[in-house]
Amino acid sequence: MELQITLIIGAILFGIGLYGALSQTNLVMIMMGVELMLGGCMLNLVAFWRYLHPETYSIQMFVLVVMTVMALEAAVGFAIATQRFRSKGSVESEEASDLKE
Amino acid sequence: MTLQLILIIIFGLGAIWFGWRVFMTSSMVRSALSLLASMAFLGFLFLALEAEFLGVLQIMMMATEMSIMAIFMMMYMMDPGGMSGMDMSHQKKPSIIAASVTGALVVLVILFTNWGSMAVTVPAAARQNHDLGIEVMKRSMMIFETAGVTILVAMIAAAATALVYKKDMI
Amino acid sequence: MILLLTILVPLLAALVVLVRPAKAAWIGLAGGTLALVGALVLWLSIPEDGFHQVTWSGLPGLPFVLIADNFTMMLLLVVTSVACFIFIYSRGYMAPEPGKTAFWSVMNLFLAAMLLLVLSGDWISFVIGWEIMGFASYRLIATWHDQPGAQVGANKAFMMTRVTDMGLYLGIFAIILISGSSAISAQPVHQLYVWAGLALLVAVMGKSAQVPFQSWLSGAMAGPTPVSSLLHSATLVAAGVILLLKAFPLLPVSVLPWIGAAGSITIILAGLTAVFSDDLKQMLAASTSSQLGFMLLAIAAGYPGAAAAHLIAHAFMKSSLFLGAGIWQHAYHSTRFDDIKAGGRKFKVTFYGFALAALALAGIPPLVGYFSKDAVIAAGFNTDPAFWYVAAALAGALLTAIYMARSARILWKSKGNAPEKIHLLNWMRAGMGLLILLVLAGGLILQLVIQRMDFELPHSTAAIISGLVVALAGLGIGWFLMPDHFRSKTTTFIRGHYSLAGGYRALIVKPVLQLAYYFNRFEKGIDYIIMGTGSLFFNISKTSHRLDNFLDKLVSLVGTVNLGAGRLARWLDDQGLEKSLYQLTVSVRQMGQQGRRLQSGLVHQEMMWSVVGFISFLVILIISIL
């Protein structure tokens, strides 16, 4: 029971994060959505560890990796945003159609 | 209703609400801080799920990260204060649909899966840390190292990306 | 040679006049004079009992022959001299009149034809001359063809003589059939059939204006007076008698009484007409018929010589009488007795000539008429049933004297109309005078002439006496007793040539015209039927043509339908297959275009697409697990 509730909470977080990633124009906001999605994933992982395999620590390892990825992705993302801001003057995704065919 | 469940539900709701708040405000700072709060609640959830190390880690990392994010938001946002009243979203409907469909699917999967038996006892926190360390050092060393290298690469990449390039430089 | 020339010269003159109408009179005169000269030359060149003959080929077995023996020579001389003198007269007469060219041309043509007839040695050329003379007469009567009297007279003359010419043709066919050749011979082998002889008699009666065919002569008086003088007193009408003279050896004896009957009736009836006439020329015309009756009488009596004598004498006398009438016609523009009375006083020379000729005609010696009339009466006395002949002859002589004296007295009246001036009167007087000379001199030589013609003249004392008595009595009656006008119905009837039952117009003209009308309607009916048949066929062909057209259209319609079907198939093909293929390519391209839209380059949309893909993958996964 707790497992399902926790998983559902994770799912909801993931959904909100997805919504934000899709609907926001600003790159930074999109990244925030992605953060939320990753947070939901992490919650799922932790729930699985706690309720299914409490003795297996590779799951916690996985969580650490995901956390790392979160940080790194934020860092690189901000670097890109900086560079974009320098060349184009804004980080709106609607104006970022340079790759359009 | 165990205490754990209640705490889970409370912290979960808190995380959800603050996560919702991220995208519902027009002020950038507030949304960053909402995200911070959401992440914090997520950390507290970890703690409630007796993964003390991960919970503390989460809280510490996210706090720092969100602060930096707030600064970046103020730098790059058109309307950081959110006083102009512009709607900074697009394709709202499709994204709502996609999000809800995904959420629903996942919920369905969750509800209709046979999870098997639940584990009742969890090792103590000290014990967890010790075992986690052993895990990292022994079995998952490769993963950790890779992760470390990846961090390094990412740092370099980020720094390189954010550099200023003049015309005569490459 | 001279023979031919004598005929050809007037013919040539006729043609030349047509070419040079300005000198028509002189050319015509030349033609007549040269003909006379030629006749004289010919006469002098022939030995006593010889003859000239010219032959050339005509129809197979029937050659043309011209013969100049004693008989024909004398006639030739008479004809040419009369013609020449009348031509001289015509120079004066026709001077103020229109129609000179036609007149002179046709007069010469007529002369040539008459000479041909006189000189003919075979029946074919005789007929040719006869016919040409008939045509010339028609044309000359209608010299002034704008006057209705001339048209009517010419038509009547031509029609009547043409009808009676059938007799001539029948007779000549019979002659040729019997004798095997067309030569006129004095010693024939066979005699003609009676009907052939009667046929010839019919022709003579028509041409010589005998009863019942005499009325055309009075219609012919509408022509110029020289025409009346030459043609209708001396030559044309005499041609009938010449026919009888030439055919006399061929005639069977049973025909002669018929000839005599015709002649006698004519003498009396025509003579009566002359007595009661009111126009000088009409009187002379009736007189001509009467005198010709005398000639027929003589032939019937069996004495062709007497007929020949009277022919010659009558030619001289009657022509000069006509010439006188012509002079008064010019003076008073009419020949009616009412208009020309006392004309004799005004034109004394003419009257003296006229009177001489009148006396000659009456039969007073020593004028030529006495000798000829005497011969005829003597011939009557010398035949077997003498009474009728003599009676007719004497009655005729009496009538002759009566009418001639009457006309002379009318002319010698003291009071009359004023005459007009006549141009070229001397020419006319000259012509007339020459003929009067012949009248005077002819009496002396008549017997010689006849004997030269190998005929004999009969003599009879009773004839001489009775003739003189009758002549003197008639002259007296005519001068003293005859009134100027005859007004009763009987005299009008007699004057009108005894027109019975409406006469010529009612008896002949109307039926013929009616018959022609019926024939016309019949022919129109036939024509209508033929046209109807023709148009029926035409309609049939039209209908079948339309049908043909319709079928043709139908066939082409079938073709068009097929073509249309073909085009439809092609269209379907084009539209269907091609279009569908095209549509395929278009849709592929459109799909590509649509696919291109995925590549908007907009990050959020691409993210959306990733999410959609992820969701679908998830669904598949779930379904496969479940």
Side-chain angles (χ1 to χ4, degrees):
Chain A
M1 174 81 154
E2 292 95 339
L3 172 65
Q4 276 131 351
I5 290 172
T6 315
L7 290 178
I8 287 169
I9 292 167
I12 292 168
L13 274 174
F14 185 82
I16 292 168
L18 188 58
Y19 166 74
L22 288 176
S23 73
Q24 294 299 313
T25 57
N26 206 311
L27 184 65
V28 180
M29 296 300 288
I30 293 170
M31 271 167 35
M32 282 208 265
V34 174
E35 301 277 305
L36 269 177
M37 280 200 279
L38 285 170
C41 289
M42 277 200 295
L43 183 60
N44 262 29
L45 277 169
V46 171
F48 283 145
W49 174 82
R50 165 67 183 75
Y51 289 110
L52 292 180
H53 309 284
E55 304 299 327
T56 313
Y57 292 98
S58 49
I59 298 173
Q60 288 203 354
M61 192 70 232
F62 201 174
V63 175
L64 280 177
V65 172
V66 173
M67 216 179 283
T68 313
V69 166
M70 267 171 75
L72 290 178
E73 167 252 330
V76 174
F78 283 131
I80 289 173
T82 309
Q83 195 60 275
R84 182 119 188 122
F85 192 80
R86 277 212 195 101
S87 58
K88 289 289 188 280
S90 83
V91 288
E92 298 297 314
S93 68
E94 274 182 356
E95 295 162 23
S97 62
D98 299 3
L99 290 177
K100 181 178 161 76
E101 278 213 90
Chain B
M1 278 283 150
T2 57
L3 178 67
Q4 190 182 37
L5 185 63
I6 293 166
L7 282 175
I8 287 168
I9 289 170
I10 290 168
F11 289 138
L13 284 175
I16 287 166
W17 192 76
F18 275 110
W20 183 241
R21 287 283 303 155
V22 169
F23 301 111
M24 283 302 117
T25 61
S26 49
S27 162
M28 292 304 117
V29 177
R30 278 196 202 177
S31 70
L33 290 176
S34 302
L35 190 64
L36 177 81
S38 173
M39 289 295 140
F41 272 102
L42 207 62
F44 289 132
L45 254 177
F46 288 166
L47 288 173
L49 284 172
E50 297 168 61
E52 284 90 0
F53 177 65
L54 294 176
V56 170
L57 199 62
Q58 170 81 350
I59 294 167
M60 275 165 55
M61 268 188 71
M62 288 308 123
T64 324
E65 194 178 320
M66 291 309 128
S67 332
I68 304 297
M69 191 176 278
I71 294 168
F72 270 99
M73 286 185 89
M74 278 190 283
M75 274 190 346
Y76 297 134
M77 285 296 198
M78 275 198 277
D79 182 24
M83 303 307 279
S84 66
M86 250 195 320
D87 181 17
M88 302 299 290
S89 65
H90 56 196
Q91 59 184 24
K92 255 212 187 125
K93 253 220 201 131
S95 47
I96 289 172
I97 292 166
S100 29
V101 164
T102 313
L105 275 174
V106 174
V107 164
L108 279 170
V109 169
I110 292 164
L111 290 175
F112 288 107
T113 314
N114 179 20
W115 296 109
S117 58
M118 301 284 137
V120 178
T121 56
V122 176
R127 177 97 204 141
Q128 277 180 32
N129 293 346
H130 175 260
D131 286 338
L132 184 58
I134 298 300
E135 180 66 34
V136 167
M137 288 304 153
K138 274 195 172 168
R139 235 184 74 177
S140 306
M141 173 58 90
M142 199 64 202
I143 299 166
F144 211 57
E145 288 293 326
T146 313
V149 172
T150 311
I151 291 166
L152 180 66
V153 168
M155 279 160 57
I156 295 170
T161 308
L163 279 178
V164 176
Y165 287 97
K166 295 218 178 50
K167 283 246 192 307
D168 47 355
M169 286 165 87
I170 52 130
Chain C
M1 190 57 206
I2 308 235
L3 212 74
L4 279 173
L5 272 179
T6 315
I7 297 174
L8 288 172
V9 161
L11 191 64
L12 188 69
L15 293 167
V16 172
V17 165
L18 289 172
V19 174
R20 293 288 234 114
K23 297 274 178 230
W26 294 109
I27 299 168
L29 261 178
T33 320
L34 287 170
L36 178 59
V37 164
L40 283 167
V41 167
L42 197 60
W43 175 57
L44 290 170
S45 69
I46 290 183
E48 182 77 21
D49 280 318
F51 54 88
H52 277 192
Q53 186 170 325
V54 175
T55 315
W56 76 91
S57 62
L59 300 168
L62 303 168
F64 290 131
V65 179
L66 289 175
I67 188 163
D69 58 11
N70 294 329
F71 170 58
T72 56
M73 266 325 302
M74 287 299 127
L75 282 176
L76 186 73
L77 279 172
V78 166
V79 167
T80 48
S81 52
V82 169
C84 180
F85 300 151
I86 292 176
F87 279 13
I88 294 171
Y89 172 90
S90 308
R91 167 86 181 89
Y93 181 90
M94 287 300 287
E97 300 282 354
K100 283 196 262 289
T101 316
F103 173 82
W104 284 108
S105 172
V106 184
M107 282 290 256
N108 279 89
L109 174 68
F110 169 83
L111 184 58
M114 185 68 196
L115 296 179
L116 176 65
L117 184 131
V118 165
L119 290 170
S120 66
D122 73 300
W123 291 110
I124 309 284
S125 40
F126 185 91
V127 165
I128 293 172
W130 183 283
E131 297 295 343
I132 296 177
M133 283 202 305
F135 164 71
S137 155
Y138 167 79
R139 187 64 188 87
L140 285 168
I141 295 169
T143 306
W144 301 318
H145 45 74
D146 48 329
Q147 293 176 7
Q151 297 166 9
V152 169
N155 277 332
K156 197 166 167 182
F158 191 71
M159 286 296 157
M160 240 184 215
T161 47
R162 209 76 188 92
V163 168
T164 51
D165 286 349
M166 278 309 298
L168 178 64
Y169 282 111
L170 279 171
I172 289 179
F173 288 147
I175 292 170
I176 294 175
L177 278 173
I178 287 175
S179 57
S181 86
S182 62
I184 299 174
S185 58
Q187 284 90 29
V189 181
H190 302 281
Q191 296 265 303
L192 272 179
Y193 297 121
V194 175
W195 61 263
L198 287 172
L200 286 176
L201 175 61
V202 167
V204 171
M205 282 163 70
K207 202 70 166 190
S208 300
Q210 303 296 292
V211 170
F213 303 112
Q214 86 280 27
S215 54
W216 73 263
L217 201 56
S218 60
M221 293 299 118
T225 310
V227 172
S228 311
S229 167
L230 182 59
L231 273 71
H232 304 123
S233 58
T235 42
L236 182 82
V237 294
V241 180
I242 294 176
L243 168 63
L244 280 177
L245 288 174
K246 290 203 185 209
F248 187 71
L250 291 163
L251 293 171
V253 179
S254 46
V255 173
L256 296 177
W258 292 99
I259 301 178
S264 326
I265 295 169
T266 307
I267 292 171
I268 307 222
L269 291 179
L272 281 172
T273 308
V275 168
F276 296 121
S277 73
D278 57 0
D279 185 297
L280 181 58
K281 275 182 84 172
Q282 296 291 331
M283 186 200 81
L284 292 173
S287 165
T288 306
S289 297
S290 185
Q291 301 302 316
L292 290 164
F294 271 105
M295 299 177 214
L296 261 74
L297 196 63
I299 289 179
Y303 287 93
H310 199 54
L311 175 74
I312 295 168
H314 176 259
F316 297 144
M317 295 185 289
K318 194 49 69 60
S319 49
S320 45
L321 286 169
F322 266 113
L323 295 187
I327 291 176
W328 282 307
Q329 185 186 31
H330 261 5
Y332 295 100
H333 289 290
S334 159
T335 48
R336 294 176 64 80
F337 280 131
D338 286 335
D339 297 327
I340 62 170
K341 60 177 183 233
R345 299 256 185 196
K346 295 280 172 11
F347 296 92
K348 291 223 174 65
V349 175
T350 314
F351 182 73
Y352 292 144
F354 187 86
L356 275 171
L359 286 172
L361 194 61
I364 305 296
L367 303 164
V368 67
Y370 159 74
F371 290 103
S372 68
K373 191 74 59 83
D374 177 58
V376 173
I377 299 172
F381 270 111
N382 283 351
T383 49
D384 225 346
F387 174 69
W388 298 111
Y389 291 103
V390 170
L394 286 173
L398 180 70
L399 290 170
T400 311
I402 292 174
Y403 59 68
M404 287 321 303
R406 174 171 169 257
S407 59
R409 192 206 50 168
I410 291 174
L411 284 166
W412 191 247
K413 277 173 120 98
S414 46
K415 270 197 290 233
N417 301 327
E420 266 191 31
K421 180 104 173 56
I422 303 177
H423 303 279
L424 299 176
L425 184 58
N426 288 328
W427 279 89
M428 295 203 264
R429 282 199 202 130
M432 193 176 166
L434 287 164
L435 280 169
I436 297 294
L437 271 175
L438 284 174
V439 168
L440 290 167
L444 302 168
I445 57 167
L446 191 62
Q447 177 131 10
L448 289 167
V449 167
I450 295 301
Q451 274 171 346
R452 186 69 189 273
M453 284 167 83
D454 299 328
F455 288 127
E456 62 166 290
L457 274 179
H459 290 283
S460 153
T461 331
I464 297 173
I465 298 168
S466 56
L468 274 172
V469 163
V470 157
L472 289 166
L475 282 171
I477 296 170
W479 186 275
F480 295 111
L481 292 178
M482 280 286 134
D484 290 344
H485 308 283
F486 293 100
R487 294 263 155 76
S488 74
K489 275 217 194 114
T490 324
T491 52
T492 316
F493 173 66
I494 294 173
R495 200 181 308 135
H497 291 290
Y498 312 97
S499 52
L500 298 165
Y504 166 73
R505 183 151 280 135
L507 282 176
I508 295 176
V509 173
K510 267 221 182 113
V512 167
L513 287 176
Q514 196 72 18
L515 194 68
Y517 170 71
Y518 284 127
F519 272 123
N520 185 33
R521 288 229 331 236
F522 177 65
E523 205 179 330
K524 274 201 184 131
I526 293 178
D527 187 48
Y528 183 73
I529 290 171
I530 291 171
M531 292 302 283
T533 320
S535 58
L536 176 73
F537 278 112
F538 181 69
N539 281 338
I540 288 174
S541 81
K542 240 204 258 182
T543 317
S544 61
H545 175 68
R546 269 203 232 114
L547 190 70
D548 197 40
N549 271 356
F550 172 70
L551 284 173
D552 186 49
K553 278 209 192 100
L554 203 65
V555 168
S556 56
L557 183 71
V558 170
T560 316
V561 166
N562 277 337
L563 271 178
R567 276 204 211 95
L568 180 72
R570 187 177 68 182
W571 180 84
L572 279 175
D573 206 32
D574 277 350
Q575 299 296 84
L577 281 177
E578 220 184 274
K579 258 246 169 94
S580 59
L581 283 174
Y582 179 68
Q583 285 298 81
L584 195 66
T585 57
V586 165
S587 60
V588 168
R589 185 194 294 161
Q590 278 176 349
M591 273 204 319
Q593 298 268 17
Q594 294 293 329
R596 231 169 134 230
R597 289 210 299 183
L598 290 175
Q599 304 286 332
S600 62
L602 297 168
V603 179
H604 53 276
Q605 283 179 0
E606 300 200 9
M607 252 201 316
M608 180 63 79
W609 283 113
S610 329
V611 168
V612 168
F614 163 72
I615 289 169
S616 54
F617 180 68
L618 194 63
V619 166
I620 292 165
L621 202 61
I622 292 167
I623 290 170
S624 69
I625 289 174
L626 292 175

